[in-house]
C-alpha cells in the first residue's frame, strides 16, 4: 500500500513537472498590444515589438524597464532582481532599435497595461543591421529604425552624469544624437569633441518633433566634403545656407570681437569671412596668417549692411591650405 501511495505521488509530481515543461516549450500565442484589455490583468502573454528608447536601468536596485512598440500600441516591460541579474550575466539588456519578443505577466492599472518579465528566457532580442543614410534624410526614417550616419560634431552638451546631446552637421543638414553611457553595453562609448567627424549608429528617436539618433555605437570617420561654391555665386538668396569656399586672403582687418578676412577665388568673387574671437583664437595659424595665404572655409552665409559674409562656427571650419 505504501508503495502504491508513493507511486501515486511520484506520478502526480511528474505530471505537474511535465505540464510546466510543456508550458515553457509551447509558444504562447502572439498578442497585439492594442488588443490588451483590463480583464486580462495578471494574464500571461507574449508580445513582440521594437525598443523605442534607452531602457531605464539600475544595477544597484536590480531594476530594468523599457518601452516597446508593435505598430498598434506601446507597452512598458519591467524586470526585477534575479531576472535582471540573469540578463546582465548574459549581456542581454536591450538597446534602442532592437526587436524583442517578451513573455510575462500583464499588470493593468488605470487602463494602462505593462508587462512583468518573470524569467530571463522570456526575452528574445534581435538587433537589425543599421542602414546607412545621409543626415539630410534622417527626417524620412521611421521611428525605431536603426541607421548609421556620418557627420561632423558641432556641439556636445552634457545633460546628466551619463547623458550627452551631440549636435551633428553635414552640409545644410543638422540633427541631434543622444549618447547615453548608463547601460552596461554603452558604458565604454567615447564622447567625441566639437569638430570631430564621426559615424554614429543607433535607432531613430524624436524630441519635440525633430528626429534624432539614439546612439548605440560611435567611431571616428573621415571628413566628408562640404560643397564648394564659387565666391562670385554667393548672394543674399543663400543666407542661412552652409557652404564651403577656397581662396586667397586679400585683406585682414581686426575688429573688437575678432578678425575679418577677405577671401578671393578664381571666379573673381570676394567675400568677407568673419571669425569671432572663439574661432580666431582657436586657429593654430592665427598669429602667422598673412595676405596671399590660401584658406578653405566652411560656414553659414550671412548678410551685414547689404554685404554677404561667411561665418564659420568652429576653428575646424577654417583650414590653411598649402601654396599651389
Amino acid at each position: 500500500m505504501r508503495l502504491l501511495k508513493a507511486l501515486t505521488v511520484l506520478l502526480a509530481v511528474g505530471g505537474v513537472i511535465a505540464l510546466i515543461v510543456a508550458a515553457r516549450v509551447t509558444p504562447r500565442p502572439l498578442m497585439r498590444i492594442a488588443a490588451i484589455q483590463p480583464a486580462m490583468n495578471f494574464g500571461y502573454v507574449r508580445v513582440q515589438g521594437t525598443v523605442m528608447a534607452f531602457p531605464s536601468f539600475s544595477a544597484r536596485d536590480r531594476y530594468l524597464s523599457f518601452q516597446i512598440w508593435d505598430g498598434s500600441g506601446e507597452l512598458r516591460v519591467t524586470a526585477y532582481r534575479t531576472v535582471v541579474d540573469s540578463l546582465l550575466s548574459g549581456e542581454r539588456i536591450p538597446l534602442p532599435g532592437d526587436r524583442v519578443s517578451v513573455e510575462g505577466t500583464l499588470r493593468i492599472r488605470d487602463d494602462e497595461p505593462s508587462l512583468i518579465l518573470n524569467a530571463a528566457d522570456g526575452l528574445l532580442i534581435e538587433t537589425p543591421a543599421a542602414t546607412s543614410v545621409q543626415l539630410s534624410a534622417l527626417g524620412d526614417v521611421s521611428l525605431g529604425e536603426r541607421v548609421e550616419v556620418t557627420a561632423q560634431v558641432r556641439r556636445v552638451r552634457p545633460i546628466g552624469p551619463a547623458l550627452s546631446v551631440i549636435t551633428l552637421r553635414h552640409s545644410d543638414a543638422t540633427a541631434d544624437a543622444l549618447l547615453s553611457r548608463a547601460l552596461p553595453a554603452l558604458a565604454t562609448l567615447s564622447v567625441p569633441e566639437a569638430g570631430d567627424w564621426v559615424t554614429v549608429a543607433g535607432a531613430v528617436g524624436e524630441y519635440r518633433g525633430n528626429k534624432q539618433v539614439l546612439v548605440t555605437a560611435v567611431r571616428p570617420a573621415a571628413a566628408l566634403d562640404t560643397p564648394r561654391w564659387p565666391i562670385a555665386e554667393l548672394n543674399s538668396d543663400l543666407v542661412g545656407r552652409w557652404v564651403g569656399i577656397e581662396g586667397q586672403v586679400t585683406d585682414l582687418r581686426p575688429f573688437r570681437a575678432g578678425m575679418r578676412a577677405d577671401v578671393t577665388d578664381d571666379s573673381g568673387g570676394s567675400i568677407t569671412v568673419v571669425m569671432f574671437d572663439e574661432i580666431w583664437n582657436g586657429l593654430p595659424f592665427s598669429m602667422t596668417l598673412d595676405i596671399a595665404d590660401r584658406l578653405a572655409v566652411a560656414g553659414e552665409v550671412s548678410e551685414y549692411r547689404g554685404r554677404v559674409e561667411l561665418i564659420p562656427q568652429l576653428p575646424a571650419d577654417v583650414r590653411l591650405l598649402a601654396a599651389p
Side-chain angles (χ1 to χ4, degrees), residues 254-273:
F255 67 107
R256 185 174 60 180
M259 178 69 72
R260 290 186 175 96
D262 289 345
V263 177
T264 302
D265 69 0
D266 294 338
S267 71
S270 181
I271 192 169
T272 299
V273 177

mmCIF file with all atom_site columns, all heavy atoms in Angstrom, residues 254-273:
data_model
loop_
_atom_site.group_PDB
_atom_site.id
_atom_site.type_symbol
_atom_site.label_atom_id
_atom_site.label_alt_id
_atom_site.label_comp_id
_atom_site.label_asym_id
_atom_site.label_entity_id
_atom_site.label_seq_id
_atom_site.pdbx_PDB_ins_code
_atom_site.Cartn_x
_atom_site.Cartn_y
_atom_site.Cartn_z
_atom_site.occupancy
_atom_site.B_iso_or_equiv
_atom_site.pdbx_formal_charge
_atom_site.auth_seq_id
_atom_site.auth_comp_id
_atom_site.auth_asym_id
_atom_site.auth_atom_id
_atom_site.pdbx_PDB_model_num
ATOM 1   N N   . PRO A 1 254 ? 41.316 93.358 -38.155 1.00 0.00 ? 254 PRO A N   1
ATOM 2   C CA  . PRO A 1 254 ? 40.822 93.025 -36.813 1.00 0.00 ? 254 PRO A CA  1
ATOM 3   C C   . PRO A 1 254 ? 39.656 93.937 -36.436 1.00 0.00 ? 254 PRO A C   1
ATOM 4   O O   . PRO A 1 254 ? 39.573 95.088 -36.865 1.00 0.00 ? 254 PRO A O   1
ATOM 5   C CB  . PRO A 1 254 ? 42.041 93.280 -35.914 1.00 0.00 ? 254 PRO A CB  1
ATOM 6   C CG  . PRO A 1 254 ? 42.893 94.234 -36.673 1.00 0.00 ? 254 PRO A CG  1
ATOM 7   C CD  . PRO A 1 254 ? 42.661 93.965 -38.123 1.00 0.00 ? 254 PRO A CD  1
ATOM 8   N N   . PHE A 1 255 ? 38.713 93.393 -35.665 1.00 0.00 ? 255 PHE A N   1
ATOM 9   C CA  . PHE A 1 255 ? 37.650 94.215 -35.080 1.00 0.00 ? 255 PHE A CA  1
ATOM 10  C C   . PHE A 1 255 ? 37.509 93.806 -33.623 1.00 0.00 ? 255 PHE A C   1
ATOM 11  O O   . PHE A 1 255 ? 38.191 92.882 -33.153 1.00 0.00 ? 255 PHE A O   1
ATOM 12  C CB  . PHE A 1 255 ? 36.337 94.095 -35.857 1.00 0.00 ? 255 PHE A CB  1
ATOM 13  C CG  . PHE A 1 255 ? 35.679 92.744 -35.793 1.00 0.00 ? 255 PHE A CG  1
ATOM 14  C CD1 . PHE A 1 255 ? 34.532 92.539 -35.036 1.00 0.00 ? 255 PHE A CD1 1
ATOM 15  C CD2 . PHE A 1 255 ? 36.192 91.659 -36.505 1.00 0.00 ? 255 PHE A CD2 1
ATOM 16  C CE1 . PHE A 1 255 ? 33.914 91.302 -34.983 1.00 0.00 ? 255 PHE A CE1 1
ATOM 17  C CE2 . PHE A 1 255 ? 35.579 90.418 -36.459 1.00 0.00 ? 255 PHE A CE2 1
ATOM 18  C CZ  . PHE A 1 255 ? 34.438 90.230 -35.694 1.00 0.00 ? 255 PHE A CZ  1
ATOM 19  N N   . ARG A 1 256 ? 36.657 94.498 -32.896 1.00 0.00 ? 256 ARG A N   1
ATOM 20  C CA  . ARG A 1 256 ? 36.628 94.343 -31.450 1.00 0.00 ? 256 ARG A CA  1
ATOM 21  C C   . ARG A 1 256 ? 36.371 92.900 -31.010 1.00 0.00 ? 256 ARG A C   1
ATOM 22  O O   . ARG A 1 256 ? 36.891 92.447 -29.986 1.00 0.00 ? 256 ARG A O   1
ATOM 23  C CB  . ARG A 1 256 ? 35.539 95.241 -30.852 1.00 0.00 ? 256 ARG A CB  1
ATOM 24  C CG  . ARG A 1 256 ? 35.491 95.244 -29.328 1.00 0.00 ? 256 ARG A CG  1
ATOM 25  C CD  . ARG A 1 256 ? 34.494 96.243 -28.795 1.00 0.00 ? 256 ARG A CD  1
ATOM 26  N NE  . ARG A 1 256 ? 33.143 95.952 -29.275 1.00 0.00 ? 256 ARG A NE  1
ATOM 27  C CZ  . ARG A 1 256 ? 32.079 96.669 -28.955 1.00 0.00 ? 256 ARG A CZ  1
ATOM 28  N NH1 . ARG A 1 256 ? 32.214 97.746 -28.192 1.00 0.00 ? 256 ARG A NH1 1
ATOM 29  N NH2 . ARG A 1 256 ? 30.893 96.338 -29.409 1.00 0.00 ? 256 ARG A NH2 1
ATOM 30  N N   . ALA A 1 257 ? 35.607 92.138 -31.808 1.00 0.00 ? 257 ALA A N   1
ATOM 31  C CA  . ALA A 1 257 ? 35.230 90.784 -31.398 1.00 0.00 ? 257 ALA A CA  1
ATOM 32  C C   . ALA A 1 257 ? 35.961 89.701 -32.154 1.00 0.00 ? 257 ALA A C   1
ATOM 33  O O   . ALA A 1 257 ? 35.651 88.521 -32.006 1.00 0.00 ? 257 ALA A O   1
ATOM 34  C CB  . ALA A 1 257 ? 33.723 90.596 -31.552 1.00 0.00 ? 257 ALA A CB  1
ATOM 35  N N   . GLY A 1 258 ? 36.972 90.070 -32.985 1.00 0.00 ? 258 GLY A N   1
ATOM 36  C CA  . GLY A 1 258 ? 37.658 89.028 -33.723 1.00 0.00 ? 258 GLY A CA  1
ATOM 37  C C   . GLY A 1 258 ? 38.415 89.558 -34.928 1.00 0.00 ? 258 GLY A C   1
ATOM 38  O O   . GLY A 1 258 ? 39.036 90.629 -34.881 1.00 0.00 ? 258 GLY A O   1
ATOM 39  N N   . MET A 1 259 ? 38.345 88.811 -36.041 1.00 0.00 ? 259 MET A N   1
ATOM 40  C CA  . MET A 1 259 ? 39.084 89.154 -37.244 1.00 0.00 ? 259 MET A CA  1
ATOM 41  C C   . MET A 1 259 ? 38.202 88.944 -38.469 1.00 0.00 ? 259 MET A C   1
ATOM 42  O O   . MET A 1 259 ? 37.472 87.969 -38.569 1.00 0.00 ? 259 MET A O   1
ATOM 43  C CB  . MET A 1 259 ? 40.338 88.271 -37.362 1.00 0.00 ? 259 MET A CB  1
ATOM 44  C CG  . MET A 1 259 ? 41.179 88.513 -38.606 1.00 0.00 ? 259 MET A CG  1
ATOM 45  S SD  . MET A 1 259 ? 42.022 90.128 -38.585 1.00 0.00 ? 259 MET A SD  1
ATOM 46  C CE  . MET A 1 259 ? 43.287 89.799 -37.331 1.00 0.00 ? 259 MET A CE  1
ATOM 47  N N   . ARG A 1 260 ? 38.305 89.913 -39.413 1.00 0.00 ? 260 ARG A N   1
ATOM 48  C CA  . ARG A 1 260 ? 37.665 89.763 -40.719 1.00 0.00 ? 260 ARG A CA  1
ATOM 49  C C   . ARG A 1 260 ? 38.745 89.519 -41.766 1.00 0.00 ? 260 ARG A C   1
ATOM 50  O O   . ARG A 1 260 ? 39.758 90.218 -41.801 1.00 0.00 ? 260 ARG A O   1
ATOM 51  C CB  . ARG A 1 260 ? 36.860 91.011 -41.089 1.00 0.00 ? 260 ARG A CB  1
ATOM 52  C CG  . ARG A 1 260 ? 35.602 91.219 -40.244 1.00 0.00 ? 260 ARG A CG  1
ATOM 53  C CD  . ARG A 1 260 ? 34.795 92.406 -40.792 1.00 0.00 ? 260 ARG A CD  1
ATOM 54  N NE  . ARG A 1 260 ? 33.533 92.556 -40.080 1.00 0.00 ? 260 ARG A NE  1
ATOM 55  C CZ  . ARG A 1 260 ? 33.339 93.394 -39.061 1.00 0.00 ? 260 ARG A CZ  1
ATOM 56  N NH1 . ARG A 1 260 ? 34.362 94.152 -38.642 1.00 0.00 ? 260 ARG A NH1 1
ATOM 57  N NH2 . ARG A 1 260 ? 32.167 93.478 -38.469 1.00 0.00 ? 260 ARG A NH2 1
ATOM 58  N N   . ALA A 1 261 ? 38.501 88.490 -42.612 1.00 0.00 ? 261 ALA A N   1
ATOM 59  C CA  . ALA A 1 261 ? 39.446 88.183 -43.682 1.00 0.00 ? 261 ALA A CA  1
ATOM 60  C C   . ALA A 1 261 ? 38.697 88.187 -45.011 1.00 0.00 ? 261 ALA A C   1
ATOM 61  O O   . ALA A 1 261 ? 37.692 87.476 -45.153 1.00 0.00 ? 261 ALA A O   1
ATOM 62  C CB  . ALA A 1 261 ? 40.098 86.822 -43.450 1.00 0.00 ? 261 ALA A CB  1
ATOM 63  N N   . ASP A 1 262 ? 39.157 89.008 -45.949 1.00 0.00 ? 262 ASP A N   1
ATOM 64  C CA  . ASP A 1 262 ? 38.591 88.968 -47.294 1.00 0.00 ? 262 ASP A CA  1
ATOM 65  C C   . ASP A 1 262 ? 39.273 87.851 -48.068 1.00 0.00 ? 262 ASP A C   1
ATOM 66  O O   . ASP A 1 262 ? 40.511 87.747 -48.089 1.00 0.00 ? 262 ASP A O   1
ATOM 67  C CB  . ASP A 1 262 ? 38.797 90.301 -48.007 1.00 0.00 ? 262 ASP A CB  1
ATOM 68  C CG  . ASP A 1 262 ? 37.922 91.406 -47.431 1.00 0.00 ? 262 ASP A CG  1
ATOM 69  O OD1 . ASP A 1 262 ? 36.979 91.076 -46.702 1.00 0.00 ? 262 ASP A OD1 1
ATOM 70  O OD2 . ASP A 1 262 ? 38.200 92.594 -47.713 1.00 0.00 ? 262 ASP A OD2 1
ATOM 71  N N   . VAL A 1 263 ? 38.464 87.004 -48.702 1.00 0.00 ? 263 VAL A N   1
ATOM 72  C CA  . VAL A 1 263 ? 38.978 85.863 -49.465 1.00 0.00 ? 263 VAL A CA  1
ATOM 73  C C   . VAL A 1 263 ? 38.460 85.966 -50.896 1.00 0.00 ? 263 VAL A C   1
ATOM 74  O O   . VAL A 1 263 ? 37.262 86.189 -51.124 1.00 0.00 ? 263 VAL A O   1
ATOM 75  C CB  . VAL A 1 263 ? 38.534 84.523 -48.829 1.00 0.00 ? 263 VAL A CB  1
ATOM 76  C CG1 . VAL A 1 263 ? 39.019 83.347 -49.669 1.00 0.00 ? 263 VAL A CG1 1
ATOM 77  C CG2 . VAL A 1 263 ? 39.062 84.416 -47.399 1.00 0.00 ? 263 VAL A CG2 1
ATOM 78  N N   . THR A 1 264 ? 39.370 85.802 -51.865 1.00 0.00 ? 264 THR A N   1
ATOM 79  C CA  . THR A 1 264 ? 39.046 85.888 -53.288 1.00 0.00 ? 264 THR A CA  1
ATOM 80  C C   . THR A 1 264 ? 39.438 84.573 -53.958 1.00 0.00 ? 264 THR A C   1
ATOM 81  O O   . THR A 1 264 ? 40.477 83.984 -53.632 1.00 0.00 ? 264 THR A O   1
ATOM 82  C CB  . THR A 1 264 ? 39.796 87.048 -53.946 1.00 0.00 ? 264 THR A CB  1
ATOM 83  O OG1 . THR A 1 264 ? 39.460 88.271 -53.262 1.00 0.00 ? 264 THR A OG1 1
ATOM 84  C CG2 . THR A 1 264 ? 39.439 87.184 -55.419 1.00 0.00 ? 264 THR A CG2 1
ATOM 85  N N   . ASP A 1 265 ? 38.591 84.115 -54.889 1.00 0.00 ? 265 ASP A N   1
ATOM 86  C CA  . ASP A 1 265 ? 38.924 82.873 -55.599 1.00 0.00 ? 265 ASP A CA  1
ATOM 87  C C   . ASP A 1 265 ? 38.997 83.113 -57.106 1.00 0.00 ? 265 ASP A C   1
ATOM 88  O O   . ASP A 1 265 ? 38.882 84.252 -57.581 1.00 0.00 ? 265 ASP A O   1
ATOM 89  C CB  . ASP A 1 265 ? 37.925 81.765 -55.261 1.00 0.00 ? 265 ASP A CB  1
ATOM 90  C CG  . ASP A 1 265 ? 36.533 82.013 -55.822 1.00 0.00 ? 265 ASP A CG  1
ATOM 91  O OD1 . ASP A 1 265 ? 36.327 83.058 -56.488 1.00 0.00 ? 265 ASP A OD1 1
ATOM 92  O OD2 . ASP A 1 265 ? 35.644 81.173 -55.598 1.00 0.00 ? 265 ASP A OD2 1
ATOM 93  N N   . ASP A 1 266 ? 39.165 82.036 -57.864 1.00 0.00 ? 266 ASP A N   1
ATOM 94  C CA  . ASP A 1 266 ? 39.360 82.145 -59.307 1.00 0.00 ? 266 ASP A CA  1
ATOM 95  C C   . ASP A 1 266 ? 38.119 82.614 -60.048 1.00 0.00 ? 266 ASP A C   1
ATOM 96  O O   . ASP A 1 266 ? 38.201 82.991 -61.223 1.00 0.00 ? 266 ASP A O   1
ATOM 97  C CB  . ASP A 1 266 ? 39.802 80.783 -59.874 1.00 0.00 ? 266 ASP A CB  1
ATOM 98  C CG  . ASP A 1 266 ? 41.185 80.362 -59.375 1.00 0.00 ? 266 ASP A CG  1
ATOM 99  O OD1 . ASP A 1 266 ? 41.947 81.251 -58.955 1.00 0.00 ? 266 ASP A OD1 1
ATOM 100 O OD2 . ASP A 1 266 ? 41.471 79.148 -59.390 1.00 0.00 ? 266 ASP A OD2 1
ATOM 101 N N   . SER A 1 267 ? 36.971 82.613 -59.404 1.00 0.00 ? 267 SER A N   1
ATOM 102 C CA  . SER A 1 267 ? 35.758 83.109 -60.046 1.00 0.00 ? 267 SER A CA  1
ATOM 103 C C   . SER A 1 267 ? 35.740 84.632 -60.114 1.00 0.00 ? 267 SER A C   1
ATOM 104 O O   . SER A 1 267 ? 34.882 85.219 -60.770 1.00 0.00 ? 267 SER A O   1
ATOM 105 C CB  . SER A 1 267 ? 34.514 82.617 -59.297 1.00 0.00 ? 267 SER A CB  1
ATOM 106 O OG  . SER A 1 267 ? 34.380 83.274 -58.040 1.00 0.00 ? 267 SER A OG  1
ATOM 107 N N   . GLY A 1 268 ? 36.687 85.257 -59.407 1.00 0.00 ? 268 GLY A N   1
ATOM 108 C CA  . GLY A 1 268 ? 36.744 86.716 -59.366 1.00 0.00 ? 268 GLY A CA  1
ATOM 109 C C   . GLY A 1 268 ? 35.940 87.318 -58.237 1.00 0.00 ? 268 GLY A C   1
ATOM 110 O O   . GLY A 1 268 ? 35.967 88.538 -58.027 1.00 0.00 ? 268 GLY A O   1
ATOM 111 N N   . GLY A 1 269 ? 35.203 86.473 -57.494 1.00 0.00 ? 269 GLY A N   1
ATOM 112 C CA  . GLY A 1 269 ? 34.413 86.969 -56.382 1.00 0.00 ? 269 GLY A CA  1
ATOM 113 C C   . GLY A 1 269 ? 35.232 87.097 -55.121 1.00 0.00 ? 269 GLY A C   1
ATOM 114 O O   . GLY A 1 269 ? 36.257 86.435 -54.940 1.00 0.00 ? 269 GLY A O   1
ATOM 115 N N   . SER A 1 270 ? 34.768 87.946 -54.216 1.00 0.00 ? 270 SER A N   1
ATOM 116 C CA  . SER A 1 270 ? 35.420 88.150 -52.925 1.00 0.00 ? 270 SER A CA  1
ATOM 117 C C   . SER A 1 270 ? 34.359 88.177 -51.834 1.00 0.00 ? 270 SER A C   1
ATOM 118 O O   . SER A 1 270 ? 33.269 88.718 -52.047 1.00 0.00 ? 270 SER A O   1
ATOM 119 C CB  . SER A 1 270 ? 36.217 89.458 -52.920 1.00 0.00 ? 270 SER A CB  1
ATOM 120 O OG  . SER A 1 270 ? 36.873 89.641 -51.673 1.00 0.00 ? 270 SER A OG  1
ATOM 121 N N   . ILE A 1 271 ? 34.675 87.583 -50.697 1.00 0.00 ? 271 ILE A N   1
ATOM 122 C CA  . ILE A 1 271 ? 33.733 87.562 -49.583 1.00 0.00 ? 271 ILE A CA  1
ATOM 123 C C   . ILE A 1 271 ? 34.504 87.757 -48.288 1.00 0.00 ? 271 ILE A C   1
ATOM 124 O O   . ILE A 1 271 ? 35.678 87.366 -48.174 1.00 0.00 ? 271 ILE A O   1
ATOM 125 C CB  . ILE A 1 271 ? 32.933 86.241 -49.549 1.00 0.00 ? 271 ILE A CB  1
ATOM 126 C CG1 . ILE A 1 271 ? 31.753 86.348 -48.569 1.00 0.00 ? 271 ILE A CG1 1
ATOM 127 C CG2 . ILE A 1 271 ? 33.823 85.055 -49.185 1.00 0.00 ? 271 ILE A CG2 1
ATOM 128 C CD1 . ILE A 1 271 ? 30.786 85.188 -48.679 1.00 0.00 ? 271 ILE A CD1 1
ATOM 129 N N   . THR A 1 272 ? 33.857 88.382 -47.332 1.00 0.00 ? 272 THR A N   1
ATOM 130 C CA  . THR A 1 272 ? 34.459 88.572 -46.013 1.00 0.00 ? 272 THR A CA  1
ATOM 131 C C   . THR A 1 272 ? 34.122 87.400 -45.119 1.00 0.00 ? 272 THR A C   1
ATOM 132 O O   . THR A 1 272 ? 32.953 87.051 -44.939 1.00 0.00 ? 272 THR A O   1
ATOM 133 C CB  . THR A 1 272 ? 33.958 89.873 -45.368 1.00 0.00 ? 272 THR A CB  1
ATOM 134 O OG1 . THR A 1 272 ? 34.339 90.988 -46.186 1.00 0.00 ? 272 THR A OG1 1
ATOM 135 C CG2 . THR A 1 272 ? 34.541 90.049 -43.977 1.00 0.00 ? 272 THR A CG2 1
ATOM 136 N N   . VAL A 1 273 ? 35.158 86.773 -44.584 1.00 0.00 ? 273 VAL A N   1
ATOM 137 C CA  . VAL A 1 273 ? 34.991 85.691 -43.604 1.00 0.00 ? 273 VAL A CA  1
ATOM 138 C C   . VAL A 1 273 ? 35.119 86.311 -42.218 1.00 0.00 ? 273 VAL A C   1
ATOM 139 O O   . VAL A 1 273 ? 36.157 86.910 -41.891 1.00 0.00 ? 273 VAL A O   1
ATOM 140 C CB  . VAL A 1 273 ? 36.048 84.595 -43.798 1.00 0.00 ? 273 VAL A CB  1
ATOM 141 C CG1 . VAL A 1 273 ? 35.906 83.520 -42.719 1.00 0.00 ? 273 VAL A CG1 1
ATOM 142 C CG2 . VAL A 1 273 ? 35.922 83.977 -45.188 1.00 0.00 ? 273 VAL A CG2 1
#
